[in-house]
Amino acid sequence: MKYLRGLRLAIKYYQKYIAGICHNYRLWFLGEPIRLEKVSAGISMKRLLASAVLCLAASLAQASPVDVTETISGSSGAWVYDFSVTNNLGGTNDVYAFGVELPTANETGIPSGWVNYGASYNPLGSGGPNISFNNIWISPNLSTVFIAPGLTLSGFEVTDTSTAPVSSVDWLATAFGGTYTGGGNFNTSDNPGFAGTISSAVPEPSTWAMMIFGFAGIGLMAYRRKSKSALMVA
């Protein structure tokens, strides 16, 4: 029971800590005076500034040129991957082709208007990664079928016959219709290619255990410090 109470104290402490740090960072950014008494006790100016940098980095983070997400369903021998592609390129740069590399080449879901490319493609010769993408969808009509800037398209679906789902998936996307100058691409500015990897965001059991024990330890320390302070006052 004591350890559970310590864990709750740890979570409560860090919630107040982060909220106070970001609150004071926003005041500083707006040119208002920082009131350090609003921050949890024991936080130095050095830690305040370091945390402010983290808050600044988070607030300035920008989306990738192309964002790809996945959902996985099914069971052993029939894992279904459903990919969603978001075009953040801007201008008139439309995404017209998308591909992934999985143990099985089996496009069981195709967005309306798109077609199965029917072959693997390795973009190494165009300056891309040395990966053979074996599941590829492409537009058969570049004037009407594409993912326009600011839009997301789902339904790029693959059924994989592996016994377990893979922990990461390499993907490829190509665009046309404009002149892309945002960086992070290979090939030419009027036919830019983009590649990335989707990794599982679910922590391993050992990671969860370390996080729980870490929070519990910090909470217990905070609990003991609070109890010691109470005894000294008494």
Side-chain angles (χ1 to χ4, degrees):
M1 192 70 181
K2 180 171 65 175
Y3 293 101
L4 180 59
R5 185 176 181 182
L7 178 59
R8 288 173 178 169
L9 281 173
I11 295 174
K12 185 176 181 180
Y13 172 82
Y14 272 94
Q15 284 176 336
K16 289 183 178 180
Y17 171 69
I18 295 300
I21 290 296
C22 290
H23 170 72
N24 282 280
Y25 164 71
R26 285 192 293 268
L27 290 178
W28 170 80
F29 187 78
L30 294 173
E32 300 181 25
I34 296 177
R35 298 179 180 179
L36 293 179
E37 65 270 17
K38 293 290 185 179
V39 185
S40 300
I43 297 178
S44 66
M45 178 60 75
K46 182 183 292 186
R47 292 174 68 184
L48 172 65
L49 293 176
S51 299
V53 171
L54 293 177
C55 290
L56 176 62
S59 65
L60 294 180
Q62 297 181 352
S64 301
V66 176
D67 283 327
V68 179
T69 59
E70 68 174 3
T71 58
I72 304 175
S73 59
S75 58
S76 179
W79 296 107
V80 179
Y81 297 79
D82 189 351
F83 299 94
S84 297
V85 182
T86 301
N87 182 350
N88 301 314
L89 299 174
T92 57
N93 298 286
D94 302 319
V95 173
Y96 71 95
F98 173 69
V100 296
E101 191 276 325
L102 281 168
T104 303
N106 184 22
E107 298 96 331
T108 51
I110 303 176
S112 177
W114 293 63
V115 297
N116 177 1
Y117 182 62
S120 297
Y121 171 67
N122 189 321
L124 180 63
S126 300
N130 186 15
I131 299 173
S132 292
F133 295 92
N134 58 347
N135 294 276
I136 300 176
W137 301 261
I138 192 167
S139 165
N141 187 340
L142 299 184
S143 63
T144 59
V145 179
F146 49 78
I147 307 173
L151 298 183
T152 299
L153 182 62
S154 303
F156 299 99
E157 188 177 286
V158 176
T159 300
D160 180 29
T161 58
S162 301
T163 56
V166 297
S167 60
S168 62
V169 178
D170 293 312
W171 60 266
L172 167 77
T174 55
F176 82 106
T179 301
Y180 177 73
T181 58
N185 66 292
F186 59 88
N187 205 19
T188 61
S189 60
D190 58 349
N191 187 203
F194 304 88
T197 302
I198 309 171
S199 299
S200 173
V202 179
E204 297 292 331
S206 58
T207 304
W208 277 114
M210 288 175 22
M211 289 170 61
I212 291 173
F213 280 116
F215 275 118
I218 295 170
L220 182 59
M221 290 174 59
Y223 175 72
R224 286 178 175 175
R225 182 178 299 176
K226 183 177 180 180
S227 300
K228 184 177 180 181
S229 299
L231 286 173
M232 292 178 63
V233 172

